Amino acid sequence: MKETLTYPTVSVIIRGYNRERYIGPAIESVLAQTYTDFDLLIWDDGSTDKTARIAIEYAKKDRRIRVAACEHRGAVKSLKAAVADTFGAYLCWVDSDDLLSPRALEETVAVLDEHPSVGMVYTDYQLIDAAGRIKGRGRRCCIPYSKDRLLLDFMTFHFRLMRRSVLEQVGGINEDFRCAEDYDLCLRLSDITEIRHIQKPLYQYRVHPRSISHEMRLEQVHWSREAISNALKRRGLADRFEVDLQIRERFSLRRRNLDE
């Protein structure tokens, strides 16, 4: 008689590259969840510090953890590979320098369980500094969700839990993006599924000089613009609007001059 394999409902991914200072607290925040039907894949993207070693020590103590120590591919390609190596019906990721609040999985899973039409649910988030001190709620939390408003503001920032089925339906992570791949993904998801917002800060986003948002700021702006332009094409709006790029990381749409 064949043994039937069963998988946890939720797969959580932490991808890390040279994050030995923060990876431990990130892992512990996932393990501290009140919802326990999950597995955790820690994907080390070729770190040259102790990141992988720390992750392996945690895996020895908790059977829900798997560690993949791979050659350096970059953030987007490593995330795509990690997603392909998970099995849960629901999927999420936590940045290796951030923290997940204890009830984050419990509250987001409840929304997907109770509302089959919802393909993704996201929460509010708090900003923390390098030492973990709370600096306040993120500005995106104040922006109401709408499919159209998402073209201008990435309010579905953190924390996100999605159905694997809808992720696969839109083609998954676009590895052509060097960054802002999560914005591109959320725009594509908004085209095909209902998205819900939990107005509670269930994620802590760490701001520090070595974060991707600091080190790749200009690239983030460029690839965010690309994500918006692609969304305009998909929605049949590219002939009416174009993206006005501004380095202060704010976007606006302006009507095209058809005489140009």
Side-chain angles (χ1 to χ4, degrees), residues 30-218:
V30 176
L31 298 181
Q33 292 299 297
T34 56
Y35 180 90
T36 58
D37 186 22
F38 69 87
D39 65 348
L40 171 59
L41 174 60
I42 304 170
W43 190 280
D44 179 68
D45 187 32
S47 295
T48 57
D49 63 2
K50 298 177 182 177
T51 299
R53 193 183 317 169
I54 293 169
I56 290 170
E57 288 302 312
Y58 277 98
K60 290 178 181 178
K61 302 172 185 177
D62 196 311
R63 59 184 300 181
R64 294 173 295 181
I65 300 175
R66 291 185 297 127
V67 179
C70 305
E71 294 182 356
H72 185 60
R73 308 185 189 190
V76 180
K77 290 184 178 180
S78 63
L79 177 59
K80 187 177 182 69
V83 168
D85 196 25
T86 59
F87 308 97
Y90 301 159
L91 182 65
C92 61
W93 43 91
V94 177
D95 289 345
S96 56
D97 47 2
D98 295 343
L99 302 172
L100 199 57
S101 297
R103 289 178 55 85
L105 288 185
E106 179 180 350
E107 299 210 21
T108 52
V109 166
V111 173
L112 296 188
D113 281 350
E114 294 170 14
H115 303 282
S117 62
V118 176
M120 187 182 85
V121 56
Y122 73 100
T123 75
D124 286 351
Y125 65 99
Q126 293 173 312
L127 299 174
I128 59 174
D129 64 15
R133 293 182 292 259
I134 295 175
K135 309 304 287 184
R137 192 170 294 204
R139 67 168 182 84
R140 303 171 200 258
C141 300
C142 301
I143 305 171
Y145 172 76
S146 77
K147 175 182 174 180
D148 293 335
R149 183 67 182 269
L150 188 58
L151 284 167
L152 302 176
D153 291 294
F154 184 21
M155 78 287 289
T156 58
F157 187 58
H158 283 299
F159 162 69
R160 299 178 298 268
L161 182 72
M162 63 195 74
R163 298 184 193 275
R164 181 180 299 274
S165 57
V166 297
L167 175 69
E168 293 174 347
Q169 188 177 342
V170 299
I173 305 295
N174 186 347
E175 63 181 319
D176 291 338
F177 277 64
R178 278 183 46 83
C179 54
E181 76 288 348
D182 50 352
Y183 186 27
D184 170 69
L185 175 62
C186 287
L187 281 165
R188 286 184 284 128
L189 289 173
S190 73
D191 289 338
I192 69 161
T193 192
E194 183 180 346
I195 294 174
R196 289 283 181 92
H197 177 204
I198 297 176
Q199 296 180 341
K200 296 180 182 178
L202 299 177
Y203 191 90
Q204 294 183 334
Y205 177 74
R206 194 183 304 270
V207 179
H208 60 96
R210 293 198 60 195
S211 67
I212 291 177
S213 59
H214 273 75
E215 292 186 337
M216 301 182 68
R217 178 173 175 266
L218 292 181

Side-chain angles (χ1 to χ4, degrees), residues 220-253:
Q220 289 273 11
V221 174
H222 167 76
W223 286 106
S224 294
R225 180 187 188 279
E226 187 73 10
I228 297 169
S229 295
N230 290 344
L232 289 172
K233 292 175 185 176
R234 287 193 305 271
R235 299 180 188 184
L237 299 172
D239 59 338
R240 295 171 54 198
F241 298 98
E242 61 183 1
V243 184
D244 183 12
L245 174 64
Q246 300 177 26
I247 299 303
R248 58 192 175 138
E249 301 182 55
R250 299 283 295 185
F251 296 96
S252 62
L253 299 180

